[in-house]
Amino acid sequence: MQTLRDTLAVIVSKVREQFADCSVSSQDITEGFERKTIYIYFDNVRQNDFMKKFTEKKITIVMIYFPQEERKNTAELLEVQDKLSNLFSQNDTIELKEGVYAYIQDIHSFRHEGTLQFECQAYIFEEYDEVEHELMEELTHKGGIE
């Protein structure tokens, strides 16, 4: 079963590939950060069981970009906004592990107090790990068959 932690690791890795010159972090922002950092976290996680065979997850992926300069950063914010939008709209299917994919929808970004906030929805539909049960032919009775 794909965990949220594993899913976050894949998303962070994908963003790091695109932003080699920028720090990408999923650590708690209250621990501090350097400028020119993308902070990634999940919000609004919903998980449902589907017929006791599949799990369905809907996750809001939130990224906050802290530009190099606190002021005079319009061009930098627009460049990062374009890169993130292209990364998640052109590659709207992200392989999390073999046979499990996140489908990206509803991309939204906006500026907030000198930072760029980028959000998108990830939809993940995964089959439960199969639990093997004995077949009827393999069952044995305590006293044997008479």
Side-chain angles (χ1 to χ4, degrees), residues 2 8 10 20 22 29 35 44 47-48 51 56 80-81 93 96-97 102 109 123 126 129 141 143 145:
Q2 181 74 17
L8 182 59
V10 171
C22 176
I29 201 159
R35 287 271 166 199
N44 219 11
Q47 182 169 329
N48 295 306
M51 298 177 59
E56 174 186 48
V80 170
Q81 188 173 18
T93 303
L96 301 175
K97 69 178 186 180
S109 59
Y123 177 76
E126 177 183 15
D129 295 333
H141 298 281
I145 299 178

Side-chain angles (χ1 to χ4, degrees), residues 98-110:
E98 186 177 335
V100 179
Y101 298 88
Y103 302 98
I104 305 299
Q105 306 167 331
D106 299 326
I107 295 172
H108 176 68
S109 59
F110 58 93

